């Protein structure tokens, strides 16, 4: 039995469609326009969350650092907070740049390109082969991803299928979806890579972004799902 043909109707009159049980049918122009709109919506909201987080980064970092601050010389700790304040603009710029790169890579994949393999971060598949501090950081990153996926399970279940439809596919690996927890946390990791801080401080910084950014993006996922629905986009959702 054939599935019904579903389409994405866009403002310019173009359309993206796919037979949800058989061969995908995709209009490349429609794909490009729709994905650009997804990027615009996501980045606009996400940028505000990141900026708000960075504007008070020293206060929230202090909270996440907790009792560990008592183990550090007060003057050194004061310097650490000052250092983070001085780099907050660069952190914001780096994070948004990484996210935009993720969207560009996804756009390329959807139009026949190959997945970009370069990654400067921690190889979580080989944590036993690297230093203890990197192992600790790697575990912290994995916890962030797992927590985010669990927190937004329902939203992502639907959104992943919509995003896959933009590539004319029924499913895509999470690590290539530009708005997946894997990508958001991976982009965060790379955006903080330049900071000259120890692992303990870096993990506290991850927790800061988790609390003030990643735990606050549910409304963005909902907005995107509503956008797809309002655009008459359908997905083969069990």
């Amino acid at each position: 039995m054939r599935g019904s043909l579903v389409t994405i109707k866009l403002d310019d009159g173009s359309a993206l469609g796919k037979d949800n049980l058989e061969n995908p049918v995709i209009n490349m122009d429609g794909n490009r326009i729709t994905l650009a709109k997804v990027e615009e919506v996501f980045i606009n909201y996400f940028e505000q969350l990141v900026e708000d987080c960075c504007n008070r980064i020293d206060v929230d970092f202090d909270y996440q650092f907790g009792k560990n601050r008592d183990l550090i010389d007060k003057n050194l700790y004061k310097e650490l907070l000052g250092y983070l304040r001085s780099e907050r603009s660069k952190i914001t710029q780096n994070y948004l740049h990484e996210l935009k790169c993720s969207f560009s890579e996804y756009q390329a994949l959807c139009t026949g390109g190959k997945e970009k393999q370069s990654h400067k971060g921690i190889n979580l598949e080989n944590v036993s082969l690297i230093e203890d501090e990197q192992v600790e950081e790697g575990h912290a990153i994995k916890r962030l991803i797992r927590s985010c996926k669990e927190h937004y399970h329902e939203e992502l279940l639907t959104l992943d299928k919509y995003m896959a439809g933009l590539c004319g596919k029924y499913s895509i690996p999470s690590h290539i979806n530009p708005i997946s927890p894997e990508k958001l946390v991976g982009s965060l990791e790379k955006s903080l890579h330049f900071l000259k801080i120890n692992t303990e401080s870096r993990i506290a910084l991850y927790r800061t972004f988790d609390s003030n950014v990643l735990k606050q993006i549910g409304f963005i996922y909902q907005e995107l799902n509503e956008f797809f629905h309002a655009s008459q986009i359908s997905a083969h959702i069990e």
Side-chain angles (χ1 to χ4, degrees):
M1 179 179 176
R2 289 176 59 84
S4 60
L5 183 67
V6 294
T7 59
I8 299 172
K9 296 181 180 179
L10 301 168
D11 294 338
D12 68 347
S14 61
L16 181 157
K18 75 171 185 174
D19 183 320
N20 62 18
L21 291 181
E22 294 191 357
N23 295 327
V25 179
I26 187 166
N27 177 296
M28 290 303 180
D29 287 337
N31 169 286
R32 176 182 54 78
I33 294 168
T34 305
L35 188 55
K37 182 62 177 179
V38 170
E39 178 179 359
E40 178 187 351
V41 171
F42 188 85
I43 294 293
N44 282 346
Y45 285 129
F46 199 82
E47 181 176 7
Q48 187 61 58
L49 290 175
V50 174
E51 287 181 349
D52 289 346
C53 179
C54 286
N55 284 339
R56 47 181 290 118
I57 196 167
D58 52 339
V59 176
D60 291 322
F61 173 86
D62 180 66
Y63 175 77
Q64 295 295 339
F65 205 64
K67 294 181 179 180
N68 289 327
R69 72 176 74 87
D70 297 332
L71 304 176
I72 303 176
D73 178 83
K74 290 184 179 180
N75 289 328
L76 290 178
Y77 186 64
K78 186 177 180 180
E79 289 180 8
L80 172 60
L81 296 180
Y83 173 64
L84 292 177
R85 282 195 301 269
S86 71
E87 298 291 356
R88 56 192 176 187
S89 293
K90 186 173 181 179
I91 293 172
T92 300
Q93 293 170 3
N94 284 1
Y95 203 176
L96 296 176
H97 172 74
E98 292 295 339
L99 291 175
K100 290 175 182 178
C101 285
S102 294
F103 274 100
S104 296
E105 291 168 13
Y106 193 70
Q107 181 75 269
L109 281 173
C110 289
T111 54
K114 295 183 179 180
E115 181 181 351
K116 188 176 180 180
Q117 298 296 324
S118 61
H119 181 259
K120 299 178 181 179
I122 295 171
N123 183 348
L124 299 180
E125 300 300 323
N126 297 299
V127 292
S128 62
L129 303 179
I130 54 183
E131 297 179 1
D132 290 345
E133 287 189 351
Q134 289 180 297
V135 171
E136 185 180 359
E137 183 179 346
H139 286 319
I141 291 169
K142 291 175 71 175
R143 285 194 297 270
L144 256 63
I145 294 172
R146 183 170 59 250
S147 174
C148 194
K149 291 175 74 172
E150 291 174 353
H151 199 69
Y152 302 114
H153 175 73
E154 293 299 325
E155 292 91 341
L156 288 167
L157 188 65
T158 304
L159 197 52
D160 283 351
K161 292 178 183 289
Y162 283 139
M163 292 295 289
L166 293 180
C167 276
K169 301 180 183 297
Y170 305 123
S171 64
I172 52 172
S174 294
H175 71 274
I176 68 171
N177 182 348
I179 56 178
S180 69
E182 286 90 340
K183 273 294 187 182
L184 297 181
V185 175
S187 294
L188 175 62
E189 177 201 350
K190 289 190 279 189
S191 69
L192 300 179
H193 184 73
F194 77 98
L195 291 172
K196 298 177 181 179
I197 56 178
N198 62 24
T199 298
E200 194 172 49
S201 298
R202 198 173 295 274
I203 291 174
L205 204 50
Y206 289 146
R207 291 199 297 265
T208 300
F209 275 87
D210 181 42
S211 176
N212 294 284
V213 179
L214 300 178
K215 286 294 194 297
Q216 309 300 324
I217 61 174
F219 77 96
I220 308 180
Y221 284 155
Q222 292 173 4
E223 181 83 9
L224 289 176
N225 276 325
E226 290 172 5
F227 160 71
F228 280 120
H229 181 73
S231 300
Q232 300 184 34
I233 298 171
S234 184
H236 181 50
I237 301 174
E238 301 293 345

